[in-house]
Amino acid sequence: QLQLVESGGGLVQPGGSLKLSCAAAGRTLEYSNVGWFRQAPGKEREGVSCISHSDGSTYYADSVKGRFTISRDNAKKTVTLQMHSLKPEDTGVYYCAADAASKIISRIQALCAPKYEHDYWGQGTQVNVSI
């Protein structure tokens, strides 16, 4: 069983930045597809950004393109989501999700689809963008 732990959430003013990290307790994420999802109050969960393990390809939701960057730090065994130019509509609980190691996907976009069934989920970290 893979236990995912998110960190880095908090309160930030519009235009500010936050860096979220996802770590697997005691294990590496190097061989897993990983995604960041978010859920705002009263809204369905949406895929924000995902990264594959096989070729490092990435996907970003249109709403975050150019502002968010997903990356791996294999030395630290983490996947990070760097968020810049934050907007109030970025507010929500951000979840990290991961597949079992070595799972192959045909399209990176599928990894971030709401219906994609990731094998593991973290508990979430709250991001609030407000004055």
Side-chain angles (χ1 to χ4, degrees):
Q1 188 74 6
L2 195 66
Q3 183 179 1
L4 300 178
V5 179
E6 302 98 335
S7 61
L11 174 64
V12 64
Q13 293 185 348
S17 299
L18 282 175
K19 185 177 182 178
L20 306 183
S21 291
C22 175
R27 297 175 62 177
T28 181
L29 290 171
E30 184 175 358
Y31 306 108
S32 295
N33 302 314
V34 177
W36 283 98
F37 293 75
R38 68 185 179 190
Q39 187 163 20
K43 294 187 177 181
E44 294 186 354
R45 186 170 59 197
E46 63 170 336
V48 174
S49 182
C50 293
I51 186 167
S52 74
H53 75 85
S54 57
D55 59 4
S57 56
T58 58
Y59 166 87
Y60 296 94
D62 288 342
S63 59
V64 306
K65 281 181 181 177
R67 300 188 298 122
F68 290 12
T69 302
I70 190 171
S71 61
R72 294 181 181 274
D73 186 335
N74 292 330
K76 295 183 179 179
K77 302 179 181 180
T78 60
V79 173
T80 61
L81 184 69
Q82 178 68 60
M83 307 186 294
H84 293 300
S85 303
L86 283 162
K87 305 175 182 180
E89 50 264 43
D90 294 318
T91 294
V93 179
Y94 282 68
Y95 298 92
C96 174
D99 289 345
S102 303
K103 183 177 289 187
I104 301 298
I105 55 170
S106 58
R107 296 168 61 243
I108 184 65
Q109 296 91 329
L111 195 59
C112 263
K115 293 184 178 180
Y116 185 88
E117 295 183 358
H118 289 273
D119 296 302
Y120 309 103
W121 287 88
Q123 293 299 309
T125 184
Q126 180 71 46
V127 171
N128 288 314
V129 185
S130 178
I131 296 175

